[in-house]
Amino acid sequence: SITYRRIYSFSNNLKQGIVIGRRMIPSDALAFKAQIIFNTEKLIDQSKTLRNTTIRMKNGTHKTIKEWVFDDERMKLTDEHFNKGETYQAAHRLRLIHPNMETGSWEHKRLILLSDEVIDVTVSKLIKYKDLLLNPDGKRAKIVALIKKLRAIKVKDNIFVS
């Protein structure tokens, strides 16, 4: 997200941005935050269940993918605020729809989100991590080159910058 601020301050013509990874506060720290927010002294359950989540596609269809979700509603809300909220904010720092001052028209910008986190955005294409790295042709090759340049490392199914 800091990169967007730096790049955007130099160029109003930024056409795309890449968000790599996600913010992921450890479950025990998130549970501590939930205890404070919801004013409880009892320990909050940190268990998760793999559930189906629906994603809105650009072509008007919907796809279902699996996502780990906290079982306790307080943990789920705290996770949405502190973790998903940060990823959502990073994505929208690109200003996905922005006026072009020269033409007076509205422009749509391209966001590449490399994460297994599901946030409320319309998706044009889903790709698997292994497909991205095993078949780096065309535009994917540029993304792989960027990941290598940033020294990104793979942790489970996420991509994180080291």
Side-chain angles (χ1 to χ4, degrees), residues 17-36:
I18 299 176
V19 176
I20 300 176
R22 60 182 286 192
R23 180 173 187 195
M24 191 162 53
I25 298 172
S27 294
D28 57 340
L30 204 62
F32 181 70
K33 287 179 181 288
Q35 279 181 275
I36 294 169

Side-chain angles (χ1 to χ4, degrees), residues 52-71:
N52 287 330
T53 301
T54 303
I55 293 181
R56 190 175 56 247
M57 302 301 291
K58 185 176 180 178
N59 65 7
T61 63
H62 293 83
K63 288 196 177 181
T64 302
I65 63 169
K66 302 240 182 239
E67 176 186 30
W68 287 101
V69 179
F70 284 104
D71 295 329

Side-chain angles (χ1 to χ4, degrees), residues 134-149:
L134 295 178
N135 305 312
D137 57 335
K139 291 179 184 176
R140 290 183 182 177
K142 291 179 184 177
I143 296 169
V144 171
L146 177 65
I147 292 169
K148 289 178 181 177
K149 182 179 177 183

